[in-house]
Amino acid sequence: MTTLTVERLDDRVVVTLSRPEARNAINAAMVRELHAVCDELEERPRLLLLTGAGGTFAAGADIGELRERGRDQALQGINSRVFDRIARLPMPTVAAVDGWALGGGAELAYACDIRLASPAAVFGNPEPGLGILAAAGACWRLRDLVGASVAKQVLLAGRRLDADDAYRLGLVAEIVPAGDLLKRAHALLDRMARSGPLALRLTKLVADAPGGHPITDDLAQAILFESADKRDRMHAFLTKSGGDRS
């Protein structure tokens, strides 16, 4: 891969955006390589950690490429398709954001399940200033994450959310010193990895299901109640605690 560094572990894949000459701007090559990562994680589900090299998450999409795209390319949803695919990966995803996460970079972070940020993190969607809109999920994902009023401030008025804003608004889970950001992200993934993998997958599916419905909860729980993992984990809990309690 030429735009990503990929580290594969037993329970997770760590992907680092790495186009230092362009502040990790998302170009067509990076989109293709992100699709390849999705191929792998759909075939063998694992946790995903996304981060950026060189003190920047991703400073946007590649403007040189965007300038040459027309209607047909827009209808292909080049960036939106891969971000949607990342959002729908079977297992949880974490973005560790240091520095700029602008335009397409912000939309990539929004597509992840949980975001951690360094004090230098900045989120923003300046696309209208370039005569386009944030068409890779920001117009609706950001609204769901921070509410319609703040989303419109970002999308329409060019407001940028620094780390403190993002934490206060719930966009990021924690602010962590840059030197500890990846360590903290791995600790979060370690905690997730201690849960049952099928339970994580079904919880994510139910949490992301539009509208929510008790029958969806019941069906997912029925699958888990029949799993060997559920029986083993509850037996281990009861054996350790010496009691019948939840």
Side-chain angles (χ1 to χ4, degrees):
M1 291 188 173
T2 61
T3 71
L4 306 177
T5 300
V6 181
E7 181 184 7
R8 297 170 177 86
L9 304 173
D10 285 343
D11 61 358
R12 72 198 63 173
V13 172
V14 181
V15 173
T16 304
L17 312 181
S18 185
R19 293 188 68 216
E21 76 286 355
R23 295 190 299 171
N24 303 332
I26 299 168
N27 64 355
M30 187 180 287
V31 167
R32 288 193 296 271
E33 292 176 6
L34 287 170
H35 274 297
V37 171
C38 290
D39 287 341
E40 184 176 336
L41 291 175
E42 289 164 354
E43 178 69 22
R44 183 190 165 200
R46 281 165 287 172
L47 301 166
L48 172 65
L49 171 58
L50 273 170
T51 191
T56 298
F57 185 72
D62 189 294
I63 304 302
E65 289 189 359
L66 286 181
R67 182 182 58 187
E68 303 306 316
R69 291 179 187 171
R71 175 193 58 201
D72 291 343
Q73 289 73 37
L75 291 173
Q76 291 172 18
I78 294 170
N79 286 5
S80 65
R81 299 298 186 270
V82 73
F83 295 168
D84 189 54
R85 203 172 172 192
I86 288 168
R88 292 185 289 104
L89 284 172
M91 294 288 278
T93 58
V94 173
V97 178
D98 185 21
W100 298 110
L102 300 178
E107 291 179 300
L108 176 57
Y110 303 157
C112 291
D113 294 309
I114 298 174
R115 287 151 295 280
L116 304 181
S118 79
V122 178
F123 300 85
N125 290 96
E127 286 90 342
L130 295 168
I132 60 174
L133 63 86
C139 287
W140 46 278
R141 283 199 178 99
L142 186 59
R143 179 196 63 214
D144 291 344
L145 290 167
V146 301
S149 177
V150 174
K152 287 181 179 180
Q153 293 172 46
V154 173
L155 296 165
L156 301 178
R159 178 180 176 183
R160 291 182 176 179
L161 304 178
D162 63 19
D164 289 336
D165 288 333
Y167 177 71
R168 178 173 53 84
L169 293 164
L171 180 61
V172 302
E174 292 182 61
I175 301 172
V176 184
D180 297 327
L181 186 58
L182 288 183
K183 179 180 178 182
R184 181 67 189 119
H186 278 290
L188 175 60
L189 292 171
D190 289 342
R191 188 162 74 240
M192 291 181 183
R194 289 194 288 271
S195 295
L198 182 59
L200 281 178
R201 290 184 65 176
L202 289 177
T203 298
K204 179 173 176 175
L205 278 174
V206 172
D208 286 343
H213 198 287
I215 291 177
T216 306
D217 294 16
D218 293 346
L219 290 173
Q221 191 75 297
I223 294 169
L224 291 169
F225 271 16
E226 294 297 318
S227 69
D229 187 57
K230 170 253 187 180
R231 290 190 292 273
D232 292 345
R233 286 172 178 273
M234 290 193 174
H235 176 74
F237 175 85
L238 293 172
T239 300
K240 181 179 179 180
S241 65
D244 184 7
R245 53 187 181 154
S246 59

